[in-house]
Every structure is written in C-alpha cells, then in structure tokens.
Amino acid sequence: MIRSYTFRIYPTSKQESLLRAMLTDHRDLYNAALQERREAWKRGKQVWFKDQDAQLTAIRANDPDQARWSYSAQEQTLRRLDKAFQAFFRRIRSGEKKVGYPRFKGPRQFASVEHRNGDGAKWDSVPHPTQTRVKFQGIGHIKVKQHRPVTGRVKRLSAKQEGRKWYVHLVAEQEQPTPLPKTGAMIGLDLATGQNGLAYTSLGERIDNPAFGAVAAAKIAAAQQQVFRCRRGSKRRFKAWDRVSGLYRKARNQRHDYLHKTARRLVDAYDVIVVEDLRTADMTRRAAPRPDGNGGYLPNGGNAKTGLNRSIRDAGWGQFLDLISAKAESAGRDFIRVNPAYTSQTCSACGHREQANRNGKDFLCVSCGHRDDADINAALNILRAGLVLRDAAQAKS
C-alpha cells in the first residue's frame, strides 16, 4: 500500500533562496511548455509529453539556471502539465460543462516540485541518530523535523512552500499492515453541516462540527481588508497576504487534525462503516444564472447556495470520507458507500417512503407513526442499504 508523510523542514537563508529559485525555474519550464502546446494547437498541430521531454537536454545545455536542478524532477514538472491536459481532454469527452483548459501558473499557484528518491533528491541523506536531513540537488542537505517514523520504501518526495514555511512531502510504499481485531460492531453515517454537526450515526450519536473556517472568518475578513489598504507590490502588502494565508492554513490544519482523529476513532471501533456516496465537487458548485430574456437575471438562490457551499467545505465532507476509506483499508475494515437517494424520506421502521415524512430535523412516518430525528433515521437507512450491498457482494464471491 501507499502512504504519505509530511514534515516541516528548516532551510538556512541561502537554502531558502535556492528553494525559491527552484520553484521559479520549474514554474518557468511549466509555463513555457504550456505556451508551446498553445502555439502548436493554433497551427493545427499537437505536442505530446515525449516531444517536450526530448527537448530537456538542449534546454539544460543553453540555460545554466535550469541545468542546476534535477533532470528527473524537470520531467515530473512536464508530466504535471501532461496530466493537466489529460484531465482536460477527459472532461471534454465526458461532456462536462466546465472543462478547465490548463492555465499558466503564477508564484502562488506553483508551490511544490516533485523528485524521485535517489535521483536528484534523497531522504535521510545523512544518517544521524537525532537529526534527519533531506537532500535536494542544487540545494544541499536540509534539516527535517521528523515527528514520526517513516516505514517502507520512500519512492517520491516533494519540496513544498506554504507561506513562509517549507515542508517535505514523502510517498512511501509499504506492506499491508496487520488488520485490527474484530469488534463485531457496524455503523451508518449521515453527514451534516454547520450547527447541525458533522454527522449522525445509526446508533443515535451526533459527531460535532467545530467549523474552524467559520470561527476564523472574522479574523480572515479583517486581514483581507488590511491587504487592500496596502499599495500593490509593496512589502507591507506581501506581509498582509502572509497573514491571510496563515489564517487559512491554521483553519485547514485544525480541520485536518480533527477529521483524522474522528476517522481514527470510527475505524478502531467498527468493523463495517457505511456512508453516503456523495459527489462533493458537484454539490459545492455555485448556482447557475437564470437569464430573464431581457438582458437581466431571475433570482436563483445564489446567496443561500453560496452559504451552503461554504458550510460543506468547512465541514470537509470529501476529506472526511477519504480519511475513513484509507484508514479502513489499512485496518481491514469494510467501508461501503451507498446511494443516498430517499434515505431521508424513508421510514427506518416500516420502510414507507414519502416526502411528507420529513419536516426539517423531525421525522414522522405518515404510515406507521414512527418518530425520530431525521438524520438518525437516514443513518439507519444508510446502514441497511450498505449491508444489503455487502451481502450481495459476498453471495457473488
């Protein structure tokens, strides 16, 4: 299995300057490769990764700045662009409305460079009992704050900038760990947002939602106002942007830590975890405009939709489900996604389905009179649907 690790690194002032130069040169390479593809397309031709990869030797021979970095890392940058185009063409084939043609990268959009371990970069480059170091070609050995052991074989590593901080991101290949002991317990989860919590379980429990983004919203708004009071291009403006990004980063890290711990508790306690199969990317799209035919627009509920989108992102639904899935796989647990359609309208006691059954947070079956919390009732239906899928899969095998 594949597992990733992220550690803080502490470059010297000279190494930090070189790290910034590495990001700049790789970003220039990315943008130049994108420009070449755009120009070729205008002439009715197409440029592929192998064509641009073949030009790297000549580029390095004529540009000393590019020649000081790892060849394989520059190949990964070109592959990064190629993956962006592959995704672009895939969205066209699938008929999506927004296909997203690859864009040129500015300094804030290009913050990492990927290397292969042992080829232009090396993890634990200077074995030492107390101080771990990572080496990047053209930069040297950088101190690492390794707060946990790394198991398995490190295959790839990336240097990443977040504001004024630097990190190394590792991807390691490991053997499948020993499954956790069976508990015999099963649970279904119905996701929620905002003050309604993060999720409700089929056991009648409520998982709280700290809403770190909402808590930090006032500070972020004040910091953003300070940005626009500063002159463009000034040092004060860059410092103000650093404060904004720092607040966003803190909220993101708090959310990530909370979801990690919550997912860990669920995986440790339950053999079977059933969740809704949600497409959060589609759910958080902004409301489509509604032209009135006279050059104006009709009300489309955009303000309410924006608030819901912000609440879903703040809850971290997609990240939460991905964390449960990854931890369940390594622990030998069953993780099942089910279609959430009508789970909130179906009675968990008699199975009667009707829209009138649910009224906000209250569920009252118009057929049998069963009363329950609407989210807990939905969690019960989700669990049962998951067990049906599991039993059908086991019967086929």
Side-chain angles (χ1 to χ4, degrees):
M1 64 176 295
I2 301 297
R3 175 163 291 178
S4 63
Y5 301 84
T6 301
F7 301 112
R8 178 87 181 270
I9 60 176
Y10 293 87
T12 63
S13 57
K14 182 178 179 181
Q15 289 174 334
E16 184 171 3
S17 297
L18 290 171
L19 284 169
R20 293 181 187 277
M22 181 177 69
L23 288 180
T24 299
D25 290 340
H26 277 261
R27 177 168 56 85
D28 291 343
L29 178 65
Y30 181 98
N31 288 338
L34 174 56
Q35 181 64 28
E36 182 185 24
R37 291 197 180 211
R38 289 166 60 99
E39 294 297 330
W41 181 264
K42 292 177 182 178
R43 299 193 304 270
K45 299 181 180 180
Q46 197 162 359
V47 177
W48 305 95
F49 164 77
K50 63 179 181 181
D51 302 319
Q52 295 185 319
D53 185 32
Q55 302 174 38
L56 266 181
T57 301
I59 292 173
R60 292 168 61 86
N62 296 321
D63 189 345
D65 288 339
Q66 293 290 347
R68 55 182 168 168
W69 311 123
S70 167
Y71 185 97
S72 63
Q74 291 171 329
E75 284 186 315
Q76 294 303 317
T77 296
L78 294 178
R79 288 187 186 278
R80 178 174 171 177
L81 175 63
D82 190 59
K83 290 178 182 178
F85 271 96
Q86 290 176 12
F88 166 68
F89 291 125
R90 183 180 66 249
R91 290 189 292 269
I92 291 178
R93 289 192 296 269
S94 62
E96 295 186 24
K97 294 182 179 179
K98 295 183 178 181
V99 294
Y101 188 84
R103 298 180 180 181
F104 293 105
K105 300 291 187 181
R108 294 182 181 273
Q109 289 86 41
F110 199 98
S112 65
V113 174
E114 183 178 322
H115 295 74
R116 278 186 256 174
N117 188 34
D119 187 357
K122 185 177 181 182
W123 170 247
D124 198 12
S125 56
V126 182
H128 192 276
T130 59
Q131 178 62 67
T132 306
R133 293 178 184 267
V134 60
K135 181 182 179 182
F136 291 103
Q137 179 177 322
I139 298 172
H141 304 273
I142 306 175
K143 292 182 180 180
V144 181
K145 178 66 175 180
Q146 186 180 351
H147 58 271
R148 59 183 299 195
V150 176
T151 58
R153 183 166 63 93
V154 176
K155 301 188 68 176
R156 298 191 303 276
L157 50 92
S158 303
K160 184 176 182 181
Q161 181 186 21
E162 290 189 10
R164 296 184 179 182
K165 298 180 181 179
W166 292 88
Y167 297 87
V168 60
H169 181 77
L170 310 179
V171 176
E173 188 175 42
Q174 305 174 345
E175 295 182 358
Q176 189 70 23
T178 304
L180 294 177
K182 297 292 184 181
T183 65
M186 300 175 290
I187 195 171
L189 297 178
D190 180 63
L191 298 178
T193 62
Q195 297 180 352
N196 197 27
L198 175 64
Y200 286 80
T201 75
S202 55
L203 302 176
E205 300 171 346
R206 178 181 187 269
I207 300 176
D208 291 332
N209 176 20
F212 296 107
V215 172
K219 291 183 178 180
I220 291 174
Q224 288 175 329
Q225 290 174 355
Q226 185 62 37
V227 170
F228 297 110
R229 293 192 187 104
C230 301
R231 181 171 52 84
R232 286 182 177 273
S234 65
K235 292 184 178 180
R236 289 183 66 244
R237 189 179 177 95
F238 281 113
K239 289 182 179 179
W241 270 125
D242 282 341
R243 286 193 290 271
V244 173
S245 61
L247 290 170
Y248 274 115
R249 182 166 56 252
K250 180 179 179 180
R252 183 177 70 247
N253 291 342
Q254 287 175 319
R255 183 186 307 113
H256 190 65
D257 179 69
Y258 177 76
L259 296 178
H260 253 295
K261 293 175 180 176
T262 303
R264 180 77 272 164
R265 288 196 299 268
L266 291 171
V267 170
D268 287 347
Y270 300 100
D271 290 344
V272 179
I273 303 174
V274 187
V275 302
E276 304 167 270
D277 187 10
L278 300 176
R279 300 183 64 180
T280 55
D282 293 338
M283 295 175 66
T284 54
R285 294 186 188 278
R286 67 177 182 176
R290 298 173 57 191
D292 60 6
N294 298 318
Y297 293 91
L298 298 171
N300 65 346
N303 290 337
K305 186 66 169 63
T306 298
L308 176 61
N309 293 351
R310 186 183 298 113
S311 181
I312 291 175
R313 294 191 185 101
D314 194 16
W317 282 0
Q319 188 180 53
F320 185 45
L321 297 183
D322 289 343
L323 287 170
I324 298 176
S325 176
K327 294 180 186 298
E329 180 185 3
S330 63
R333 306 302 202 198
D334 290 333
F335 178 74
I336 306 170
R337 297 176 186 259
V338 301
N339 186 352
Y342 306 112
T343 53
S344 63
Q345 301 176 10
T346 303
C347 178
S348 60
C350 69
H352 177 72
R353 188 180 83 191
E354 188 170 330
Q355 187 174 357
N357 285 347
R358 177 168 186 173
N359 182 18
K361 278 287 291 177
D362 298 323
F363 185 92
L364 177 61
C365 181
V366 298
S367 177
C368 70
H370 172 69
R371 185 185 296 273
D372 201 349
D373 181 284
D375 294 304
I376 295 174
N377 177 80
L380 285 166
N381 291 327
I382 290 168
L383 174 60
R384 290 172 182 170
L387 295 179
V388 169
L389 291 178
R390 186 193 63 167
D391 293 342
Q394 290 177 349
K396 288 183 180 180
S397 59

